[in-house]
Amino acid sequence: MAEIRKVGVLGAGLMGHGIAQVAATAGHDVVLRDVDEQTVAKGVGRIEKQLARAVEKGRSSQEDADAIRARIQPTTDYSDLADCDLVIEAITENLAGKLEMWREVDAIVKDSAILATNTSSLAVIDQAAATGRPERFVGLHFFNPAQVMKLVEVVRCVTTGDDAYADAVAWAEGLGKLAVQTKDKAGFIVNRLLVPYMLDAMRAYEEGVGTIAEIDDAMKAGAGHPMGPLTLADFVGLDTLGSICDVMYAEFAERRFAQPPTLRKMLSAGWFGKKSGMGFYDYFADAPVPNPGL
C-alpha cells in the first residue's frame, strides 16, 4: 500500500477549500490550486476563518491552527502539483472543463500519483478515460461542508485498479471519515436517493401540499431530519442540484430526476440558494425567511 503524504486540491471554492482543510488537519501537506490569485486567496481566507473559529470555541489550540495553515500552499500554477501523491479535483460540475483540466494535470503529476474527482453526479470513467492512468483514477465524493460531514463516497469505475482503490479508501479513513465504497452509477448512493427527495418536496410545494416552511417543519418533526428538504436544497446549492438533475435525467429518463418548473425558474433568476443569498429562503435578513418571490 502506497503512502499518501502530499495532496493536491484543484479548486478553492465551496468544496475544495474544505477538502484542503480536512487533509491539512490530518497532517498532509496540501497544494491548493485555482485559476487566479483572488480565488485562491478567498478559499484560504475561508480556511483561516474556520481555524480561528475553532480556536475561539476551544476546539483547537492556536498552535495547531497555525500548523494546519502552514501545511497549505496556495497556488495558481499546475506545476506545483508535480510531486503530489494524490490530486483531487473540486472544480465546477462541468465535464468539458474537468476533462480539459485533467489533460493538463495528468502530464505534470508523477506517474505513481492517484487522481480523484469529487464529482457528485458525473460518470467517473469519463474523466478517468481522459488521462493516461485510468487504472489510478477514482471518485472521492465529499459532502458539504467537508470539515463537518462524516461521509466520503469512494467510487470505483471500471478501470480503477485494486491498489489505487485500496489506497483511496485507506486515505479517506485516515481523515477520520466514513469511507463508503460504491460503484460508478449516476448519483452514487446518497444523491441517487436524496435528489428525488428534494425534487419531490419542490413538487409538493408547487401542488399546494404545504408552504415552504410547513414542508420543512413537517420533515424535521416527522422524519427526524436535521433540516427540511427545501432548506437542504438551498445548502446544496440550487445550481449544483440542477446540474445533478440534468445528469441523472439523461442517464435514467425518469420524471423523478427532472428539474421541477420552480427550480428552473429559480436558476434563471440567479437564485442558487444560501451561496447567493436567495433560494427557497431569503438569507439577507438576520434570520432566513421564506422567499417572498415564490
Side-chain angles (χ1 to χ4, degrees), residues 68-101:
I68 292 167
R69 172 61 187 89
R71 286 193 284 270
I72 301 172
Q73 173 193 348
T75 187
T76 60
D77 193 343
Y78 280 134
S79 65
D80 289 330
L81 301 164
D83 61 346
C84 287
D85 302 301
L86 168 67
V87 176
I88 308 169
E89 73 80 16
I91 68 171
T92 303
E93 193 77 336
N94 174 274
L95 181 58
K98 292 180 190 290
L99 296 183
E100 181 181 353
M101 177 211 66

Side-chain angles (χ1 to χ4, degrees), residues 41-285:
K42 186 176 180 181
V44 171
R46 287 173 171 171
I47 294 171
E48 291 172 345
K49 186 176 180 180
Q50 292 276 349
L51 294 174
R53 186 176 300 153
V55 172
E56 182 182 333
K57 291 184 176 296
R59 297 194 303 263
S60 172
S61 68
Q62 187 62 55
E63 183 180 9
D64 286 344
D66 290 342
I68 292 167
R69 172 61 187 89
R71 286 193 284 270
I72 301 172
Q73 173 193 348
T75 187
T76 60
D77 193 343
Y78 280 134
S79 65
D80 289 330
L81 301 164
D83 61 346
C84 287
D85 302 301
L86 168 67
V87 176
I88 308 169
E89 73 80 16
I91 68 171
T92 303
E93 193 77 336
N94 174 274
L95 181 58
K98 292 180 190 290
L99 296 183
E100 181 181 353
M101 177 211 66
W102 280 128
R103 292 186 188 103
E104 192 159 355
V105 171
D106 186 39
I108 293 170
V109 179
K110 62 185 181 181
D111 292 341
S112 60
I114 297 172
L115 305 182
T117 174
N118 182 60
T119 184
S120 54
S121 60
L122 297 171
V124 174
I125 183 58
D126 290 342
Q127 296 180 58
T131 73
R133 63 185 93 187
E135 75 286 351
R136 298 195 64 73
F137 201 104
V138 301
L140 285 170
H141 181 210
F142 287 77
F143 289 78
N144 182 41
Q147 301 95 321
V148 175
M149 298 296 281
K150 188 77 172 175
L151 178 65
V152 177
E153 290 180 317
V154 187
V155 186
R156 182 173 198 154
C157 71
V158 292
T159 59
T160 307
D162 291 344
D163 290 345
Y165 192 70
D167 288 345
V169 170
W171 180 77
E173 291 175 342
L175 301 180
K177 300 295 187 182
L178 174 64
V180 172
Q181 301 180 40
T182 184
K183 295 181 180 178
D184 190 16
K185 307 287 186 181
F188 314 131
I189 294 173
V190 173
N191 282 332
R192 177 74 173 267
L193 302 174
L194 190 62
V195 168
Y197 162 65
M198 290 187 284
L199 300 183
D200 275 345
M202 296 178 196
R203 294 187 182 101
Y205 172 68
E206 291 172 345
E207 294 163 10
V209 173
T211 65
I212 292 169
E214 287 167 347
I215 290 170
D216 276 353
D217 287 345
M219 290 308 297
K220 286 191 292 182
H225 292 188
M227 67 176 67
L230 300 176
T231 299
L232 179 59
D234 278 353
F235 272 70
V236 168
L238 300 179
D239 52 340
T240 300
L241 183 58
S243 297
I244 296 171
C245 287
D246 292 343
V247 170
M248 296 181 76
Y249 185 77
E251 180 75 13
F252 301 113
E254 295 179 15
R255 177 182 180 268
R256 64 192 180 116
F257 296 117
Q259 291 189 27
T262 296
L263 178 58
R264 293 200 303 269
K265 292 173 184 176
M266 293 174 77
L267 295 180
S268 294
W271 295 346
F272 299 151
K274 193 172 188 298
K275 68 173 76 172
S276 69
M278 189 71 78
F280 283 96
Y281 292 85
D282 178 348
Y283 296 91
F284 289 108

